[in-house]
Amino acid sequence: MLAAINKELSGLYGGVLMDETKFVEQCIYRILSLYEREVNPPTSVILIGHSMGGVLARALFVMPSFDPKLVGTILTLASPHHAPVVMADWHLKEFFQGVNDYWRININSTLAHVVIVSVAGGYKDILMPDQLTSLKNIAADERAISITATAVPRVWRSMDHLCIVWCKQLILAIVRATFDLMSMASEQENKVVKEKMDVLRHHFVSHSGSRNYRSRPDVFDIDQSYLVVRPVDFKWNFQRKKHLSGTFIQVPIRTDQGFNTFTAITNQDNDDWIFGCVIKNDTEKKSTKQPNCQFAVNLSQRSTLLPSVNKVKKCITLNTTELAPMYNTLLILSPQSKNMVDISGEFYGKKERQGKLEVPKFWEFPYSLDILQLSQKQLYFGIELVGLTAVTQAVKFTVKATFCENLVGADYGHLRTFVPWSNEDSSILLHENVSNGVTFRLQTARPNKEVRNAELQFWLNPHCKYNVSMQISPQEVFGQIVRHYLFTLPAFLMMNLMLVLVWQTFTIAKHGCCPSFPAAHRTFAQPYRVLVVANFMLLCLWLVGAEKLNILHLPLPEKYAVPDQLPETLISIFLYLVAYVLTLAVYFLLKLFVWIIGIILSPCINRNIPFSGIAVVPVLVAVAFRFSATLSSALGICMYFAKVASAQVKHRKGLHSADLYNLRFTVLLLWLLITLFGAPSAVTWLKNWSFGHHLTFDPAIFPTLISLLVFPLEGALKRSVVCRTGGYCIYMCAILTALYGVGHIYRAPYFGSIALVIASVCCGGVVSVDKTLDKNKLE
């Protein structure tokens, strides 16, 4: 049964989340009621949630009226479990914090029976970063799986935010898992947590290649009618076009010559294919064509599926040092088959097949570098990537298979990126005489306590040689920055605008005139004026002790509260510079629009704009409380836009100086940005117009009410010393935005609206409408 939530923007507006949770609860009761008359009615349901639906599935347990026993398994697709992609309002923050706190507190009580899987879309899902979908520190590790679609067996593909719902490979994995979660005895969902996790790990993490999940026997009777092949070399290949008789490949386990690892790759789809056994020292029996073991222990469950152009390809890697005390021989089964049979095996020392590569920063990186050449008859090679730790790094590796011998329709190997601290591996198939490229980009940064490094793993065809090279990928680095930190850009835009207001107020206090937006922006909107000061304050707070803020009931800066969700210092500077350029572009576009509107309205504009004072505020406040605060703010902007156009027309006609127009124009830009923060709630209000005209839990109400004070309070204080003090207050608002409003961007409009009113109150009266612009003072 599908519980649709009407495509509401619950990921950006948190006011509807609790209602949606109640709706899902009622859907569960409705589903179970459909089976009340059955002989054996279901006692629980399996929830599958997409995007915010996965969060709602976890939020059910917070509801006091909900019975936790009704849900034992949750599968989520591209769901932001840690936090929303954009912390657009405080309702979202409270909802996520309440759900996650409940799960952390009740992890071993009311939630002890719940298993949960979170599947992320990978790098193609530009809306949902993988790190937000992780269940780490939310659910118990032994009852939770967090994985990327590129690492799910038989899927191995990245997908966008909507495609993950209808991707056939992923749907089949979910269907197979849900069937295997059923108990054959009770015809109900399995209640044993360990057995359910074994099923989910089999289908979503480490598929052994078996067609059926059901447990296989540990000990097998060896068919003595099968022939035996005994390779003598530590590297061997068994290949047949048609295999009309069953064969065992009997391989003695070797630990001499530094060998401690055995790897085998097969293209056969039999579930049970590799065994360990003990052969007595009987030289006469060893010479026979029959197997020397009557019983063998099944090791097939340790194998792993690999991507392949053919039907199936499996590999296994065994530590021979651990196997030697229990077995002395490996038996590899090759049953009868009408298709091509290709089995390869190799003993080697693990250190010999593991290299290390230092991955420098992108500004230190050469354009291209050949790093490795792999010879024939190798099945595996790994490269440990030292220094690849941040999500903003991206390195492209190119592999070219050459000199392949007698390969027609076979695989040429495959390359896998392995991230030990996160299930976000990805794989590509290799092709002959073609540059096979893969870009290694982390979706989850390496934790501070993690000592392992990311790896490149090569599963090779023994008949080919390979050349490996790497090069910088600047476009992918930029893409990673955009994907993970684009949501912080509005906060940096607001810092730019507030710094412009700071310089305009300082200039008014000192010279009595207001500089233009480009002049103030060029003079005072450099990144070091806010980012360096904010980092200095963070350093001072670290020296004093950040926990002392809790004693004062003050929130911690975001650098301490959510460090994983914030950009690094260099990335912050880059984003600020992007906002710097974007601010100028928006300025010129808005200036052109004001100029056009001013020409159109020039005959109608008088010296006083109607509703320019206290009379307009009650109407806009009534609109904010009766309908939507964002609508009220938009109407206020329209009226203030008339004041800006009036000042521009009067300046063009020579009636007034440009001071009033310059200040009002900056205030208008900042007010526009503040209003845009309330766009998600406004869209929700419009979508629900047919159900009601009032938006409950409006997150834009307080910034709107503060911003509306611009009308009655403009020019209330006229002393220059007050204006300079107001400039420092606006400066502090910009710094507080850098400390508290980058990750939790719903806080930025509060600081912006305060700066808006301060600029109008302190400086509106100082900018005289009769003053002539003094260019020398402005310089």
Side-chain angles (χ1 to χ4, degrees):
M1 181 176 177
L2 175 64
I5 53 177
N6 197 27
K7 297 183 179 179
E8 294 177 327
L9 298 178
S10 54
L12 295 175
Y13 171 63
V16 297
L17 286 172
M18 191 54 66
D19 291 337
E20 291 177 349
T21 306
K22 294 177 182 178
F23 173 70
V24 174
E25 181 185 13
Q26 294 303 315
C27 288
I28 293 176
Y29 295 147
R30 175 58 179 165
I31 292 172
L32 294 176
S33 67
L34 297 176
Y35 299 91
E36 289 179 349
R37 297 182 180 180
E38 297 292 330
V39 177
N40 185 22
T43 58
S44 63
V45 297
I46 297 176
L47 296 181
I48 302 175
H50 169 247
S51 192
M52 290 300 294
V55 182
L56 297 179
R58 293 197 302 115
L60 280 170
F61 296 89
V62 183
M63 303 291 292
S65 60
F66 182 72
D67 183 2
K69 296 180 181 180
L70 297 180
V71 176
T73 304
I74 302 175
L75 306 178
T76 67
L77 308 177
S79 298
H81 293 293
H82 267 280
V85 179
V86 180
M87 195 72 76
D89 61 63
W90 63 273
H91 299 291
L92 278 171
K93 179 179 180 295
E94 292 295 326
F95 184 84
F96 273 85
Q97 184 174 345
V99 173
N100 290 339
D101 287 347
Y102 179 89
W103 275 67
R104 294 186 184 105
I105 295 173
N106 299 278
I107 193 171
N108 293 318
S109 55
T110 57
L111 299 172
H113 66 290
V114 181
V115 298
I116 181 170
V117 176
S118 175
V119 181
Y123 63 90
K124 286 187 178 180
D125 188 351
I126 61 176
L127 298 179
M128 188 64 61
D130 290 9
Q131 59 187 359
L132 295 181
T133 66
S134 173
L135 295 165
K136 188 175 180 62
N137 299 325
I138 294 178
D141 293 339
E142 64 273 11
R143 299 192 297 273
I145 296 174
S146 301
I147 196 166
T148 304
T150 55
V152 177
R154 292 180 174 172
V155 178
W156 296 310
R157 291 290 184 274
S158 178
M159 54 203 71
D160 61 47
H161 196 62
L162 294 179
C163 180
I164 196 171
V165 177
W166 58 70
C167 173
K168 179 180 179 181
Q169 292 88 338
L170 183 57
I171 291 175
L172 288 176
I174 293 174
V175 170
R176 294 179 182 121
T178 51
F179 272 100
D180 285 338
L181 286 172
M182 296 298 109
S183 172
M184 302 296 292
S186 63
E187 297 182 351
Q188 298 274 355
E189 180 187 355
N190 196 334
K191 303 299 182 182
V192 182
V193 171
K194 184 181 182 305
E195 294 180 2
K196 291 199 293 184
M197 287 303 299
D198 290 342
V199 171
L200 296 174
R201 290 192 186 98
H202 172 78
H203 289 285
F204 290 99
V205 182
S206 56
H207 202 298
S208 63
S210 60
R211 286 164 290 189
N212 297 312
Y213 162 72
R214 302 303 174 188
S215 59
R216 311 294 299 175
D218 293 333
V219 180
F220 267 70
D221 294 331
I222 301 302
D223 192 338
Q224 297 297 313
S225 64
Y226 279 25
L227 299 179
V228 172
V229 175
R230 297 181 176 88
V232 295
D233 198 1
F234 65 92
K235 299 179 181 180
W236 51 267
N237 176 251
F238 179 82
Q239 197 173 75
R240 299 288 189 274
K241 291 184 178 180
K242 288 186 178 181
H243 198 42
L244 301 180
S245 60
T247 302
F248 277 109
I249 303 173
Q250 186 171 299
V251 184
I253 294 178
R254 300 185 58 171
T255 56
D256 58 330
Q257 302 181 28
F259 296 148
N260 58 15
T261 306
F262 173 76
T263 292
I265 300 177
T266 179
N267 67 341
Q268 295 190 287
D269 61 351
N270 48 309
D271 292 349
D272 307 306
W273 66 283
I274 185 167
F275 312 89
C277 69
V278 177
I279 297 179
K280 297 181 180 179
N281 188 15
D282 189 346
T283 57
E284 182 175 329
K285 193 172 184 180
K286 284 185 179 181
S287 62
T288 64
K289 295 183 179 181
Q290 283 73 38
N292 297 127
C293 297
Q294 290 186 352
F295 304 98
V297 177
N298 190 5
L299 304 177
S300 305
Q301 67 275 9
R302 303 188 188 185
S303 56
T304 303
L305 272 180
L306 295 178
S308 174
V309 296
N310 299 317
K311 185 176 180 181
V312 68
K313 188 174 184 179
K314 293 185 286 189
C315 73
I316 191 168
T317 299
L318 301 172
N319 188 325
T320 57
T321 305
E322 296 178 356
L323 290 179
M326 297 178 286
Y327 322 106
N328 61 9
T329 303
L330 295 174
L331 288 179
I332 300 175
L333 173 62
S334 176
Q336 296 179 359
S337 176
K338 296 181 181 180
N339 300 320
M340 177 75 175
V341 175
D342 190 357
I343 305 175
S344 299
E346 179 185 18
F347 288 95
Y348 56 88
K350 188 173 183 179
K351 292 184 178 180
E352 299 173 0
R353 301 294 176 85
Q354 191 74 23
K356 282 191 176 183
L357 176 66
E358 183 74 28
V359 178
K361 306 299 181 182
F362 68 91
W363 58 83
E364 306 172 342
F365 206 84
Y367 178 73
S368 182
L369 180 66
D370 293 330
I371 59 173
L372 187 64
Q373 290 185 346
L374 301 176
S375 61
Q376 290 179 330
K377 295 186 178 181
Q378 291 185 353
L379 290 182
Y380 174 81
F381 197 89
I383 301 178
E384 190 175 347
L385 302 176
V386 181
L388 188 63
T389 59
V391 295
T392 53
Q393 294 176 275
V395 183
K396 184 177 181 180
F397 291 90
T398 303
V399 184
K400 188 173 183 180
T402 58
F403 302 104
C404 296
E405 301 174 352
N406 302 323
L407 290 181
V408 179
D411 290 335
Y412 293 90
H414 94 279
L415 171 62
R416 176 190 178 196
T417 61
F418 174 67
V419 183
W421 58 84
S422 175
N423 291 323
E424 56 182 74
D425 310 340
S426 61
S427 303
I428 63 165
L429 290 171
L430 304 180
H431 304 278
E432 185 181 14
N433 296 323
V434 177
S435 296
N436 305 272
V438 59
T439 301
F440 205 148
R441 51 202 159 192
L442 296 176
Q443 306 304 324
T444 304
R446 189 175 76 171
N448 294 330
K449 296 182 180 180
E450 180 63 60
V451 297
R452 296 172 294 176
N453 294 307
E455 295 181 22
L456 278 179
Q457 297 179 345
F458 299 87
W459 302 95
L460 308 173
N461 192 303
H463 301 285
C464 296
K465 293 183 179 180
Y466 301 87
N467 295 322
V468 185
S469 61
M470 66 178 177
Q471 65 182 32
I472 187 174
S473 184
Q475 65 274 19
E476 294 293 346
V477 172
F478 180 75
Q480 287 290 90
I481 294 174
V482 170
R483 183 170 184 265
H484 289 273
Y485 301 118
L486 182 64
F487 71 93
T488 65
L489 194 59
F492 291 106
L493 285 170
M494 188 162 290
M495 293 179 213
N496 272 266
L497 295 177
M498 284 193 279
L499 290 182
V500 171
L501 275 179
V502 170
W503 185 247
Q504 287 180 332
T505 54
F506 283 168
T507 307
I508 291 170
K510 185 176 182 180
H511 300 295
C513 56
C514 180
S516 65
F517 185 94
H521 192 259
R522 181 176 61 253
T523 304
F524 201 75
Q526 291 81 10
Y528 67 86
R529 295 189 185 274
V530 61
L531 297 182
V532 173
V533 176
N535 283 320
F536 177 75
M537 294 180 66
L538 287 173
L539 177 62
C540 295
L541 185 61
W542 177 75
L543 294 175
V544 174
E547 65 279 356
K548 292 185 178 180
L549 288 177
N550 293 327
I551 300 176
L552 300 175
H553 301 285
L554 295 176
L556 287 174
E558 294 176 330
K559 206 67 177 178
Y560 295 104
V562 286
D564 297 338
Q565 301 176 27
L566 296 181
E568 299 175 354
T569 303
L570 289 178
I571 305 301
S572 297
I573 294 174
F574 172 77
L575 292 170
Y576 186 93
L577 294 176
V578 172
Y580 185 94
V581 176
L582 188 59
T583 302
L584 287 176
V586 174
Y587 161 76
F588 287 112
L589 289 175
L590 185 60
K591 183 180 180 181
L592 177 62
F593 186 63
V594 170
W595 180 74
I596 294 174
I597 298 299
I599 292 177
I600 297 174
L601 300 180
S602 179
C604 305
I605 293 180
N606 300 319
R607 296 185 62 88
N608 295 316
I609 300 294
F611 301 106
S612 61
I614 190 66
V616 78
V617 176
V619 177
L620 296 178
V621 170
V623 171
F625 282 101
R626 180 63 182 86
F627 297 102
S628 167
T630 305
L631 175 63
S632 173
S633 183
L635 294 175
I637 287 176
C638 292
M639 296 179 182
Y640 198 82
F641 185 87
K643 300 182 70 171
V644 175
S646 174
Q648 193 265 351
V649 170
K650 292 175 182 179
H651 166 62
R652 192 172 65 247
K653 291 181 177 181
L655 300 176
H656 294 164
S657 68
D659 299 338
L660 187 60
Y661 166 71
N662 291 336
L663 179 65
R664 284 179 174 174
F665 191 94
T666 307
V667 170
L668 177 64
L669 264 177
L670 184 56
W671 198 350
L672 276 172
L673 182 60
I674 292 171
T675 304
L676 288 177
F677 277 87
S681 60
V683 173
T684 303
W685 171 69
L686 287 173
K687 284 175 63 70
N688 295 325
W689 176 263
S690 58
F691 303 103
H693 303 331
H694 173 61
L695 179 66
T696 56
F697 307 113
D698 195 339
I701 188 69
F702 292 109
T704 297
L705 294 178
I706 296 173
S707 299
L708 291 179
L709 295 176
V710 168
F711 290 108
L713 298 181
E714 187 177 49
L717 301 176
K718 302 181 179 182
R719 298 178 59 184
S720 60
V721 62
V722 176
C723 187
R724 175 169 289 276
T725 303
Y728 284 115
C729 292
I730 298 173
Y731 194 14
M732 181 55 64
C733 287
I735 296 173
L736 290 175
T737 302
L739 292 173
Y740 290 97
V742 176
H744 296 76
I745 65 169
Y746 72 90
R747 296 170 177 167
Y750 292 89
F751 300 124
S753 57
I754 293 172
L756 194 77
V757 174
I758 291 175
S760 297
V761 170
C762 297
C763 305
V766 179
V767 182
S768 175
V769 295
D770 297 321
K771 192 182 292 292
T772 303
L773 182 64
D774 190 341
K775 295 184 179 180
N776 295 327
K777 288 183 178 181
L778 192 57
E779 292 293 332

